[in-house]
């Protein structure tokens, strides 16, 4: 797809002023459309929004023009926009007495309620292409669930440099611009770089250094404090669609991206990825991912979802609109996906998050945590991710003796649940549950529950265990010997915090 027909960002400030004046913002949309119609837009359903924008206010016009991609009367467009400039710069085109948009412009609420705008191809702004326009190889999607997930799990501390690999419409670069002195964004698709430039300009943030090329090739040996990537991770037969298909066999693109990130991270730097990985016959998926982690990095990998190969193929055939094509062609493409999986002995596909942190300590004793957690979490998780690695640092340098000598506090908003038959004297088991961050739940025995309940930072862990042993008529030496492993679990998962870090 050509880049010559896309808008020029030269006079974006004037367009931005007009959009803000009309309340064409995330909050303004919610007020105008109401919650049901606003939520329907996220499902690519436009009828409720069309009904809600039958008025003639500038906001009604802008929603129909840029979000719903409907032509609007020339006079109404002129009342809402600096129309001559927008036509000249290519944001809209005039067709007789009407005006239509050339791109999708979608309000997006940034940190501290900043008003941003994500620019993408028409019909591709929500969640995925959904078969609308997606047969064009170079199509650029807007903001969807995957991109907001990645933005939410990213550690947001001030850094000198950030790299967005496979920037697409630029949402990750947009977020990075708020806490990185220098932002570099790359993409194999030159059209994506134009959209990133438009997104940054219309959002009123500092331009990024935009470079064309695959993976880390455009940046050479440069290193960064933060790397983020929502890559084309779909495991598919071939590379038909640039926005989703990596062009390498199986999950090789995600593996290559993760493995090469270690050499591009500065000490203490983080790399965050969304990825798919194969579940292969005769191989534990955790072992497969462990082999991806580069030397010198700690890692936290969370599998959020798994699908069997038929579910996976159907998902992405629908995404590209193949289910709307000739049934024979659909069947042939479905068959090609299953042939690919059969050849690679793939029985399922996992999806999740991969976070790396460059650490001197990891060179000899890396912390690699690989887990499955398909349950709801509380976004944004950036602070929780940073806290996870701080806890791993703590556990790495504290042996059991040091652990028992230290003081702990119960993390905020941890609740205890007792599970058992009604009227029973003792519960069958006790569950500690977090109401923040990962919202974990873990079973504990009576010692673990009692220990967590009295951790207020006053007494060292060993003294608390001695008191519990006395109450339960247990040998305190044996209790001290067998409990550190349980304490490590509670600290590692964030239920308990070392008093000095709380």
């Amino acid at each position: 797809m050509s880049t010559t027909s896309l808008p020029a960002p030269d006079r974006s400030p004037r367009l931005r002023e007009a959009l803000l004046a009309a309340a064409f913002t995330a909050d303004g949309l919610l007020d105008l459309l109401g919650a049901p119609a606003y939520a329907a837009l996220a499902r690519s359903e436009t009828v409720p929004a069309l009904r809600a924008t039958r008025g003639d206010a500038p906001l009604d016009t802008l929603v129909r023009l840029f979000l719903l991609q409907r032509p609007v009367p020339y006079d109404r467009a002129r009342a809402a926009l600096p129309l001559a400039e927008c036509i000249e710069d290519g944001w809209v085109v005039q067709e007789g007495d009407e005006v239509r948009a050339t791109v999708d412009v979608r309000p997006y609420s940034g940190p501290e309620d900043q008003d941003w705008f994500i620019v993408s191809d028409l019909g591709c702004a929500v969640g995925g292409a959904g078969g609308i326009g997606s047969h064009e190889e170079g199509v650029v999607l807007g903001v969807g669930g995957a991109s907001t997930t990645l933005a939410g799990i990213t550690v947001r501390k001030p850094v000198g440099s950030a790299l967005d690999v496979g920037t697409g419409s630029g949402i990750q670069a947009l977020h990075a611009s708020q806490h990185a002195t220098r932002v570099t964004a790359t993409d194999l698709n030159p059209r994506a770089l134009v959209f990133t430039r438009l997104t940054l300009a219309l959002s009123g943030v500092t331009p990024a250094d935009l470079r064309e090329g695959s993976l880390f090739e455009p940046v050479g040996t440069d290193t960064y404090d933060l790397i983020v990537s929502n890559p084309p991770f779909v495991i598919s037969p071939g590379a038909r669609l640039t926005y989703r298909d990596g062009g390498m066999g199986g999950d090789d693109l995600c593996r290559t991206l993760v493995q090469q990130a270690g050499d591009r991270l500065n000490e203490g730097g983080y790399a965050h990825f969304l990825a798919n990985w194969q579940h292969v016959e005769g191989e534990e998926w955790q072992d497969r991912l462990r082999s991806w982690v580069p030397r010198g990095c700690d890692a936290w990998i969370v599998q959020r979802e798994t699908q069997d190969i038929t579910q996976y193929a159907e998902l992405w055939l629908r995404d590209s609109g193949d289910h709307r094509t000739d049934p024979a062609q659909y069947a042939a493409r479905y068959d090609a996906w299953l042939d690919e999986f059969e050849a690679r002995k793939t029985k399922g596909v996992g999806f999740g998050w991969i976070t790396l942190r460059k650490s001197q300590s990891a060179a000899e004793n890396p912390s690699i945590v690989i887990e499955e957690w398909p349950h709801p979490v509380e976004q944004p998780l950036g602070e929780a991710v940073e806290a996870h690695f701080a806890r791993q640092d703590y556990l790495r340098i504290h042996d059991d003796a040091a652990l028992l000598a230290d003081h702990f506090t119960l993390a905020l908003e941890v609740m205890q649940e007792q599970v058992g038959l009604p009227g029973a004297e003792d519960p069958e088991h006790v569950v500690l549950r977090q109401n923040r961050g990962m919202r974990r739940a873990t079973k504990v025995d009576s010692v673990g529950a009692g220990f967590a309940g009295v951790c207020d930072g006053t007494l060292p862990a060993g003294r608390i265990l001695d008191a519990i042993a006395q109450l339960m008529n247990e040998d305190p030496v044996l209790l001290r010997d067998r409990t550190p492993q349980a304490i490590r679990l509670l600290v590692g998962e964030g239920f308990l915090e070392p008093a000095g870090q709380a």
Side-chain angles (χ1 to χ4, degrees):
M1 298 178 71
S2 171
T3 62
T4 56
S5 61
L6 294 176
D10 300 344
R11 285 179 284 195
S12 296
R14 284 264 291 152
L15 175 56
R16 175 177 170 81
E17 290 173 5
L19 299 180
L20 295 178
F24 187 66
T25 63
D27 289 342
L29 289 184
L30 184 59
D31 289 342
L32 173 67
L33 303 179
Y38 191 78
L41 272 181
R43 302 190 299 271
S44 299
E45 296 290 348
T46 59
V47 172
L50 285 168
R51 293 175 59 86
T53 55
R54 289 178 289 194
D56 57 3
L59 183 55
D60 296 298
T61 301
L62 294 175
V63 171
R64 284 181 166 255
L65 182 66
F66 286 121
L67 262 66
L68 306 180
Q69 283 100 56
R70 299 302 176 98
V72 300
Y74 181 92
D75 289 340
R76 287 180 56 182
R78 185 173 57 184
L81 295 167
L83 188 55
E85 292 180 8
C86 288
I87 293 174
E88 182 180 347
D89 291 344
W91 292 93
V92 299
V93 294
Q94 182 179 357
E95 296 177 340
D97 293 333
E98 293 184 321
V99 171
R100 66 172 178 84
T102 61
V103 293
D104 186 293
V105 178
R106 186 160 300 266
Y108 179 79
S109 183
E112 300 179 0
D113 296 324
Q114 295 181 74
D115 292 314
W116 289 344
F117 300 96
I118 309 299
V119 188
S120 64
D121 271 310
L122 293 173
C124 299
V126 181
I132 305 174
S134 59
H135 293 290
E136 295 285 355
E137 181 180 340
V139 72
V140 177
L141 301 188
V143 59
S147 47
T148 55
T149 293
L150 179 59
I153 67 173
T154 300
V155 173
R156 298 295 176 193
K157 64 179 183 179
V159 294
S161 57
L163 172 65
D164 177 12
V165 180
T167 186
S169 56
I171 181 175
Q172 308 305 328
L174 188 57
H175 276 281
S177 70
Q178 302 304 290
H179 62 103
T181 303
R182 175 173 56 89
V183 177
T184 302
T186 72
D187 206 291
L188 181 65
N189 182 3
R191 188 176 176 84
L193 299 178
V194 176
F195 275 112
T196 295
R197 184 177 292 111
L198 294 171
T199 290
L200 296 176
L202 196 57
S203 297
V205 306
T206 304
D209 176 11
L210 304 180
R211 305 186 191 184
E212 181 181 343
S214 178
L215 301 182
F216 294 107
E217 180 271 329
V219 300
T221 59
D222 292 351
T223 59
Y224 299 86
D225 302 313
L226 173 67
I227 297 172
V228 292
S229 183
N230 177 18
F233 52 67
V234 176
I235 301 171
S236 61
R240 190 159 59 102
L241 300 173
T242 304
Y243 73 86
R244 69 170 202 193
D245 301 327
M248 296 185 185
D251 52 18
D252 283 355
L253 182 135
C254 291
R255 174 186 57 80
T256 300
L257 184 62
V258 174
Q259 288 180 335
Q260 292 183 355
D263 291 334
R264 270 74 178 191
L265 276 176
N266 294 326
E267 177 67 20
Y270 287 88
H272 302 274
F273 310 99
L274 300 186
N276 276 179
W277 44 79
Q278 296 165 234
H279 285 219
V280 178
E281 293 179 14
E283 176 188 57
E284 295 294 332
W285 65 269
Q286 296 93 335
D287 293 338
R288 184 180 192 86
L289 290 173
R290 190 171 287 107
S291 72
W292 292 11
V293 178
R295 180 171 173 79
C297 288
D298 296 317
W300 185 19
I301 302 174
V302 182
Q303 180 167 273
R304 295 286 290 159
E305 181 182 3
T306 56
Q307 292 183 317
D308 66 45
I309 56 175
T310 59
Q311 291 174 314
Y312 190 79
E314 290 161 14
L315 168 68
W316 294 109
L317 286 167
R318 287 193 302 271
D319 171 82
S320 57
D322 288 308
H323 61 306
R324 299 172 182 168
T325 63
D326 175 69
Q329 184 181 35
Y330 173 79
R333 284 185 168 153
Y334 198 152
D335 208 36
W337 283 73
L338 298 186
D339 283 344
E340 175 80 5
F341 288 133
E342 183 179 347
R344 296 181 178 278
K345 298 183 178 180
T346 301
K347 59 183 181 179
V349 178
F351 167 80
W353 319 325
I354 299 176
T355 298
L356 306 176
R357 185 193 59 168
K358 191 69 169 287
S359 166
Q360 289 183 349
S361 301
E364 296 182 359
N365 183 22
S367 167
I368 301 176
V369 177
I370 303 174
E371 61 179 318
E372 186 166 19
W373 188 252
H375 309 293
V377 299
E378 180 192 45
Q379 286 276 34
L381 274 170
E383 291 185 2
V385 171
E386 191 172 12
H388 165 87
F389 285 97
R391 293 194 298 269
Q392 303 313 307
D393 285 342
Y394 172 86
L395 293 172
R396 182 159 40 199
I397 62 175
H398 284 74
D399 60 17
D400 288 354
L403 206 66
L404 293 177
D406 211 346
H407 300 64
F408 299 93
T409 60
L410 189 66
L412 294 176
E413 297 194 39
V414 172
M415 305 298 292
Q416 176 178 301
E417 300 174 1
Q418 296 185 355
V419 181
L421 295 174
E425 183 175 347
D426 296 312
E428 293 179 12
H429 58 262
V430 176
V431 174
L432 297 183
R433 187 178 300 277
Q434 300 169 347
N435 288 315
R436 303 295 303 274
M438 290 292 286
R439 293 179 172 166
R440 296 185 185 277
T442 189
K443 291 182 182 180
V444 293
D445 60 15
S446 55
V447 173
F451 180 85
V454 298
C455 279
D456 60 2
T458 304
L459 296 174
R463 289 277 303 279
I464 295 175
L465 291 179
D466 291 343
I468 292 175
Q470 185 175 7
L471 287 172
M472 300 181 67
N473 294 317
E474 289 201 31
D475 185 328
V477 176
L478 294 179
L479 191 61
R480 278 176 173 253
D481 286 344
R482 68 178 173 86
T483 306
Q485 183 177 355
I487 297 176
R488 286 185 180 279
L489 174 66
L490 293 176
V491 172
E493 294 192 341
F495 291 93
L496 293 179
E497 298 175 347
Q501 297 181 11

